[in-house]
Amino acid sequence: MVLRFFTALALGAALTASPALAEDKKAEAAPKAINYVVNTDQSVDRENLLYLDLSNGGRVAIRLMPEWAPSHIERIKTLVRQGFYDGIIFHRVIDGFMAQTGDPTGTGQGGSTLPDLNAEFNTVPHMRGSVSMARTNEPNTANSQFFIVFYPRFALDNKYTNFGRVIAGMEYADAIARGEPPANPTKIVQASIAADNKPAPVIQTPKETKTFSADMLSNSQSN
């Protein structure tokens, strides 16, 4: 009873605060404006351009946005330059939703040896091509895993750290093998920062082989 009484008094004091004080508090609480515009020109700001060369033969170009999530961008760059992502599979790929990677164990339970990151949730919408950090149910648990969004999922906004967007090669992201995990998972053959000018790897994509039945061979029309 007493506790409720003091709570009511505090609420009453807040409601009767001077207009000037209320305006100051409102200004302090206002979220920082974020620039949603992503530069698609791969010739500029190459320090913030991530290339993923995939085992399906394609290169995905991702514009990293330090303004959105500076600590997460720093983590991604560190791991990329360590070669951490090279050879890692997309272990969780849901059609119509997203493709997740960044776990060296391929189970969704692993990460890097670096400490988990504090969340940098932002108002940038999770649209097609958005790249965002995976985490557990706890907000400050992003580490190395990230996902590429296939179709808009605005329910993820302000709940997952959106740190970049695909600006080229989305068709190769679309072609990532589906499954949890996929039977034949797509791999990141090489991840690199464009400014480092690493040559793209030579990727041998599996060729489709045609099978012939005994009937087809016996009915051959060749001379």
Side-chain angles (χ1 to χ4, degrees):
M1 177 73 88
V2 175
L3 180 60
R4 290 181 181 178
F5 175 70
F6 279 114
T7 301
L9 280 180
L11 179 59
L15 291 174
T16 57
S18 67
L21 181 59
E23 286 295 326
D24 289 342
K25 289 186 176 181
K26 183 177 181 181
E28 290 176 3
K32 179 184 175 183
I34 294 180
N35 179 19
Y36 293 171
V37 178
V38 173
N39 193 333
T40 60
D41 185 351
Q42 296 185 50
S43 69
V44 301
D45 193 16
R46 290 172 63 79
E47 177 61 25
N48 289 305
L49 182 59
L50 169 63
Y51 287 138
L52 300 180
D53 291 297
L54 306 183
S55 59
N56 62 18
R59 165 172 278 190
V60 178
I62 298 169
R63 175 65 68 193
L64 304 176
M65 299 293 290
E67 181 181 347
W68 299 353
S71 296
H72 287 67
I73 298 298
E74 182 181 356
R75 170 61 55 85
I76 292 292
K77 289 181 181 179
T78 296
L79 293 177
V80 166
R81 285 175 165 144
Q82 290 177 355
F84 175 86
Y85 291 109
D86 298 354
I88 288 182
I89 68 169
F90 284 84
H91 64 272
R92 184 169 181 251
V93 187
I94 302 174
D95 200 30
F97 182 17
M98 58 89 218
Q100 185 171 330
T101 186
D103 174 13
T105 71
T107 65
Q109 303 299 313
S112 76
T113 58
L114 298 175
D116 290 345
L117 294 161
N118 289 328
E120 292 178 305
F121 300 154
N122 52 60
T123 58
V124 181
H126 283 74
M127 55 194 296
R128 174 169 164 78
S130 291
V131 186
S132 192
M133 291 298 280
R135 62 174 178 81
T136 69
N137 290 330
E138 297 300 320
N140 300 321
T141 53
N143 186 285
S144 63
Q145 295 188 43
F146 63 89
F147 57 93
I148 300 172
V149 179
F150 293 137
Y151 292 101
R153 286 290 178 123
F154 302 134
L156 304 178
D157 300 352
N158 288 303
K159 297 176 183 176
Y160 292 83
T161 299
N162 191 338
F163 68 87
R165 190 174 304 157
V166 174
I167 60 172
M170 189 63 196
E171 66 271 24
Y172 300 112
D174 288 333
I176 293 171
R178 270 54 169 171
E180 300 182 66
N184 296 295
T186 303
K187 292 182 179 181
I188 299 174
V189 177
Q190 177 180 281
S192 62
I193 300 301
D196 296 343
N197 295 312
K198 291 185 71 173
V202 177
I203 301 172
Q204 298 291 337
T205 56
K207 294 182 179 179
E208 185 178 348
T209 57
K210 190 172 182 179
T211 58
F212 297 91
S213 66
D215 289 339
M216 292 169 64
L217 291 173
S218 62
N219 292 323
S220 173
Q221 299 298 317
S222 62
N223 295 324

